[in-house]
Amino acid sequence: MTVLEVERLSKSFPIKSGLLQRETGRVRAVQDVSFSIARGETLALVGESGCGKTTVARCILRALPPSSGAIRFSPQEGTTIDLAPLSRSALRPIRRHIQMIFQDPYASLNPRMMVGDIIAEPLLVAGVPLAKRQARVRELLELVGLPPAARTRFPHAFSGGQRQRIGIARALALDPTLVVADEPVSALDVSVQAQIINLLLDLQDRLGLSMLFVAHDLGVVRHVSDRVAVMYVGRIVEVAPTIALYARPRHPYTEALLAAVPKPDPMLRDAAAAPRGEVADPANPPPGCAFHPRCPHAVDRCRVELPELREVAPGNFSACHRAEELTLVGVA
Amino acid sequence: MVEAARRVLSVRDLVVDFVQDTGTIRALDGVSLDLHAGRVLGVVGESGCGKSLTARAVLRLVDRPGRIVSGKVLLDPGAPAQQELTALDPEGEAIRAVRGGRIGLIFQEPMSALSMHYTVGNQIIEAIRAHSGLGKSAARQRAIELLQEVGIPRPETRIDAYPFQLSGGLRQRVGIALALAADPEILIADEPTTALDVTTQAQILALLRRLQRTKGMALMLITHDMGVIAQMADDVAVMYLGKVVEFAPVQQLFAAPRHPYTRALLRSVPNIRAVPRERLATIGGAVPHPESRPTGCAFHPRCPEIIAGRCALEMPPPLPPDQEGASCFHVMPKMMVDA
Ligand SMILES: Nc1ncnc2c1ncn2[C@@H]1O[C@H](COP(=O)(O)OP(=O)(O)OP(=O)(O)O)[C@@H](O)[C@H]1O
Ligand SMILES: Nc1ncnc2c1ncn2[C@@H]1O[C@H](COP(=O)(O)OP(=O)(O)OP(=O)(O)O)[C@@H](O)[C@H]1O
Ligand code: SF4
Ligand code: SF4
Ligand SMILES: [Mg+2]
Ligand SMILES: [Mg+2]
């Protein structure tokens, strides 16, 4: 069953300049993005800074109004609602089914609230009575591996990893249908990051979470996701099951990303060739395939014709004109 | 083992305290390490373990309420011209000639070394002139060459750009050009690619490696990323709570890490070759704050190999500088057995 289906989602922001702050152009942060998430599935959204990952996440949460496209969400079997055109008041009853885990465990917790109250807040808003709230908070603390005594302490008494656990407990309080996690482990030290990754894996198993996992670290993504969508300058360029994408990428940008990851093995040095050039500016993307100025496989057609995302192998989608003829290198 | 490359810098038993109302924090607790011409020393460890502070202490940039309590930093150790940086006035002429002169510095955020208000060219030209006798137009010519060397396209026009007009990757290249302005023998790079995307990181690392090799510089590369260490370092110092707990050549460190912390750290790194949904090995708890440093071996509350009745009470012997080994009761320091 599909929990979320995003179809041709676009979002642009005005570029304003001059004294009168007149609009002089638009940043096309997200363009024609389509993907779906099945119940119990974790889809990772990866790509480099500014490619539009957070903008996609914020549109799904309706923290931003999309410019166009559909965001079909199924809070339960048999009900599907397009969130894109909904008003604030129409959204309110649905919002509880989609929860967010943030990157920064320091900024996202109110320092003046006790941890128990932070976790109980969504329950309070949903009108859950006190006794049930308290029982649920105890259950959630246990679920994320925090001691019951954490309830009456303030966020400053906790380390980064523990704060991230608090944020996760809060996100899970109302048994959401979909969890959107925007770089939830990027700010953590490796030893703590490993603990939180394992916690997310446990929660996926125990609760059958459906998750959109926004990240830029391909190592982290490999551990937690079932499928991966790769974005470049506002567009999805490849979507595939995790193992398939790493073993045999179908888009040259995915290949470049995998090659650029510094491998934690000193015997495998210099194997990575850095791609030339820089990430394109979403306010002024190159014509045709936006990756063409950096792509070692570009041909004339790439400079003029925009490649559409299409299925090039079963379950494997690529937006490259040459996806079928190229044999790209992944990691074993 | 380290070959007989020339030692250009020695740090010996460096101790740095921060005095606060709540008590004194010992942030560096006896750090010793050596830099060698033509070699890359990787310094790795989790947040707060003292990597940046070590670099800042070397250049006498420890700000109040921080204070170097004891220990030495020697430039050209053992040479007739040996200079004890720890004996210099931190504001004086002598240390300033070293900073940005014989020792170049690259930061995580290039904007912390660059000014918003001057063009890239002005800043590099000034750095060149401060450490050489070049005239204005010769210095400008040299600045253009430097920008070219660090891979900035169209350097003749980019030289007149302001830093904010450049992308993060280009700015970091300018930061590197600035650090190279005085032709340093030693380069200290503190997380030079942490703020960058992977493809840009790969470019910058390749650039640093090429420059380090062609100029025979000693590079101290600070990072928390074991992947970057594996790709770049010749030797590695692993830090934990203000101490170097393991030192080894890079292959040795990855093939047979000696310290339980290094072993745990290596196992907890997410790998792009992992079996999907595979659990990572974890280290219990988090790095303690130096304010509440554990007794005995500072790693003992998290150590899976703790020796009961010993590790919590006694400090394992510190690592002799520049010798392979680990500061742990399970590990005897490897003596000089090489042929
Ligand atoms: N509120 C806004 N107003 C104007 N431009 C915006 C706004 N939010 C995002 N953008 C632009 O949209 C593009 C996509 O940004 P987004 O934050 O979605 O990227 P991202 O993939 O999440 O990057 P990162 O990895 O750095 O978090 C960027 O060029 C960004 O500058
Ligand atoms: N201004 C300060 N006041 C008090 N303590 C400080 C100050 N600056 C640094 N410290 C202490 O020095 C320790 C080492 O800090 P340092 O910046 O060297 O860590 P690091 O290894 O570079 O970490 P990161 O990976 O986060 O950059 C910190 O844990 C902190 O306790
Ligand atoms: S469409 Fe052309 S330029 Fe784009 S990724 Fe494919 S081969 Fe490269
Ligand atoms: S000295 Fe003891 S506690 Fe410290 S790392 Fe070795 S075994 Fe672990
Ligand atoms: Mg983002
Ligand atoms: Mg640091």
Side-chain angles (χ1 to χ4, degrees):
Chain A
M1 191 198 122
T2 303
V3 169
L4 182 75
E5 188 173 19
V6 173
E7 194 182 338
R8 297 215 166 261
L9 176 70
S10 295
K11 175 68 188 174
S12 62
F13 297 102
I15 304 169
K16 291 180 178 151
S17 58
L19 259 184
L20 299 172
Q21 285 290 292
R22 271 215 309 264
E23 187 177 326
T24 54
R26 292 192 81 83
V27 182
R28 294 197 253 168
V30 171
Q31 273 197 288
D32 282 329
V33 160
S34 303
F35 60 85
S36 65
I37 299 176
R39 185 171 295 282
E41 182 185 46
T42 295
L43 176 76
L45 196 56
V46 308
E48 295 178 288
S49 187
C51 70
K53 305 179 296 293
T54 296
T55 305
V56 169
R58 289 172 56 90
C59 285
I60 291 168
L61 291 155
R62 280 300 313 274
L64 280 174
S67 303
S68 63
I71 302 167
R72 285 187 283 273
F73 174 61
S74 303
Q76 56 254 331
E77 191 112 41
T79 321
T80 299
I81 310 151
D82 184 1
L83 305 181
L86 289 193
S87 66
R88 236 166 229 289
S89 57
L91 268 169
R92 204 165 296 133
I94 299 161
R95 272 300 325 263
R96 62 171 289 175
H97 300 291
I98 308 180
Q99 294 291 332
M100 176 101 189
I101 302 170
F102 297 91
Q103 168 172 356
D104 187 343
Y106 292 86
S108 58
L109 303 178
N110 184 341
R112 281 181 288 277
M113 278 170 77
M114 282 193 292
V115 166
D117 296 333
I118 291 174
I119 297 173
E121 201 183 22
L123 300 161
L124 184 71
V125 173
V128 176
L130 180 68
K132 278 201 174 158
R133 286 206 300 271
Q134 288 176 336
R136 181 71 179 139
V137 167
R138 277 193 292 274
E139 205 174 280
L140 287 161
L141 285 172
E142 200 267 324
L143 189 69
V144 300
L146 287 173
R151 211 167 42 88
T152 54
R153 304 178 69 188
F154 289 91
H156 70 79
F158 294 90
S159 69
Q162 289 172 320
R163 288 183 215 205
Q164 201 53 296
R165 290 176 195 267
I166 298 167
I168 292 170
R170 177 179 59 186
L172 298 178
L174 288 168
D175 257 327
T177 311
L178 178 68
V179 173
V180 175
D182 192 353
E183 309 263 11
V185 298
S186 310
L188 305 174
D189 268 325
V190 274
S191 70
V192 178
Q193 176 177 281
Q195 296 165 8
I196 299 295
I197 289 172
N198 288 354
L199 172 64
L200 289 172
L201 288 167
D202 289 343
L203 293 172
Q204 287 169 350
D205 290 347
R206 283 172 72 174
L207 309 174
L209 286 185
S210 312
M211 186 148 69
L212 178 67
F213 187 93
V214 173
H216 66 270
D217 184 323
L218 290 165
V220 171
V221 163
R222 171 110 185 188
H223 282 270
V224 302
S225 67
D226 301 301
R227 277 191 309 137
V228 182
V230 181
M231 286 185 79
Y232 188 72
V233 202
R235 293 178 187 273
I236 289 184
V237 296
E238 179 165 2
V239 190
T242 304
I243 306 177
L245 182 120
Y246 283 74
R248 189 182 163 191
R250 305 280 179 160
H251 194 284
Y253 178 60
T254 312
E255 179 185 51
L257 270 186
L258 288 169
V261 175
K263 315 288 178 291
D265 182 351
M267 306 307 272
L268 295 173
R269 278 203 186 180
D270 293 312
R276 56 198 166 156
E278 308 235 343
V279 175
D281 177 2
N284 187 21
C289 171
F291 190 56
H292 86 251
R294 312 177 72 190
C295 181
H297 311 289
V299 292
D300 284 346
R301 182 183 176 199
C302 305
R303 288 177 259 279
V304 288
E305 194 186 326
L306 179 75
E308 282 279 336
L309 190 68
R310 61 184 199 290
E311 192 160 12
V312 296
N316 220 312
F317 296 79
S318 166
C320 169
H321 291 308
R322 307 187 60 197
E324 288 87 350
E325 58 180 295
L326 295 173
T327 304
L328 303 175
V329 182
V331 291
Chain B
M1 201 64 211
V2 176
E3 298 111 56
R6 184 169 54 92
R7 254 193 310 156
V8 289
L9 188 97
S10 284
V11 176
R12 286 294 174 270
D13 303 315
L14 199 60
V15 175
V16 173
D17 281 355
F18 284 88
V19 182
Q20 294 181 324
D21 310 339
T22 48
T24 297
I25 296 173
R26 180 138 296 184
L28 292 188
D29 192 11
V31 170
S32 296
L33 39 87
D34 285 317
L35 297 182
H36 299 264
R39 291 186 74 84
V40 180
L41 174 72
V43 178
V44 70
E46 294 181 286
S47 190
C49 67
K51 306 182 293 296
S52 299
L53 194 54
T54 302
R56 297 216 314 270
V58 164
L59 292 159
R60 302 299 310 280
L61 291 169
V62 177
D63 297 323
R64 287 176 163 279
R67 195 169 66 89
I68 297 178
V69 177
S70 59
K72 280 185 181 158
V73 177
L74 301 171
L75 192 57
D76 299 319
Q82 163 178 310
Q83 218 179 348
E84 186 179 339
L85 301 187
T86 28
L88 300 178
D89 170 6
E91 320 264 309
E93 278 299 313
I95 189 75
R96 269 191 246 183
V98 173
R99 271 183 224 142
R102 294 191 54 198
I103 306 182
L105 240 187
I106 303 167
F107 299 94
Q108 169 170 344
E109 179 38 70
M111 285 315 286
S112 55
L114 293 169
S115 161
M116 290 293 271
H117 307 294
Y118 296 94
T119 62
V120 160
N122 278 338
Q123 299 180 54
I124 298 177
I125 291 166
E126 195 190 318
I128 292 171
R129 289 177 43 116
H131 296 279
S132 75
L134 288 187
K136 263 205 171 120
S137 70
R140 185 180 167 90
Q141 199 44 50
R142 176 79 191 114
I144 292 173
E145 279 167 30
L146 270 171
L147 292 174
Q148 173 106 47
E149 235 179 292
V150 299
I152 292 185
R154 291 184 288 110
E156 333 62 52
T157 55
R158 286 283 176 38
I159 191 168
D160 295 316
Y162 287 88
F164 65 83
Q165 295 171 314
L166 304 174
S167 70
L170 285 181
R171 252 186 241 158
Q172 192 53 292
R173 288 174 197 268
V174 171
I176 295 172
L178 194 60
L180 295 177
D183 241 328
E185 294 154 65
I186 300 172
L187 203 53
I188 298 181
D190 189 357
E191 309 260 8
T193 58
T194 303
L196 303 174
D197 280 319
V198 275
T199 61
T200 315
Q201 165 169 283
Q203 295 169 345
I204 298 290
L205 291 180
L207 169 67
L208 275 178
R209 188 180 309 144
R210 181 170 59 74
L211 291 170
Q212 181 269 330
R213 281 192 193 152
T214 54
K215 295 178 189 287
M217 285 183 292
L219 173 61
M220 174 169 163
L221 179 66
I222 295 173
T223 176
H224 62 272
D225 185 330
M226 280 293 185
V228 171
I229 288 286
Q231 292 301 310
M232 298 288 293
D234 295 311
D235 308 301
V236 188
V238 180
M239 291 187 71
Y240 190 77
L241 268 189
K243 279 190 157 82
V244 175
V245 296
E246 176 158 6
F247 176 81
V250 69
Q251 274 101 349
Q252 166 71 33
L253 188 96
F254 280 80
R258 293 184 173 92
H259 197 283
Y261 175 63
T262 313
R263 279 205 283 277
L265 203 56
L266 284 171
R267 283 198 308 260
S268 63
V269 177
N271 193 321
I272 62 164
R273 291 164 208 280
V275 178
R277 309 199 55 77
E278 186 177 41
R279 302 297 191 271
L280 286 155
T282 59
I283 316 174
V287 182
H289 194 271
E291 212 170 290
S292 45
R293 169 187 297 279
T295 55
C297 171
F299 188 55
H300 88 258
R302 308 175 76 191
C303 183
E305 295 165 45
I306 182 170
I307 304 164
R310 184 162 198 200
C311 299
L313 304 171
E314 274 174 72
M315 200 104 83
L319 213 51
D322 228 18
Q323 259 191 59
E324 245 184 279
S327 172
C328 166
F329 289 123
H330 290 298
V331 184
M332 297 311 289
K334 188 187 159 200
M335 291 304 150
M336 306 289 285
V337 290
D338 317 65

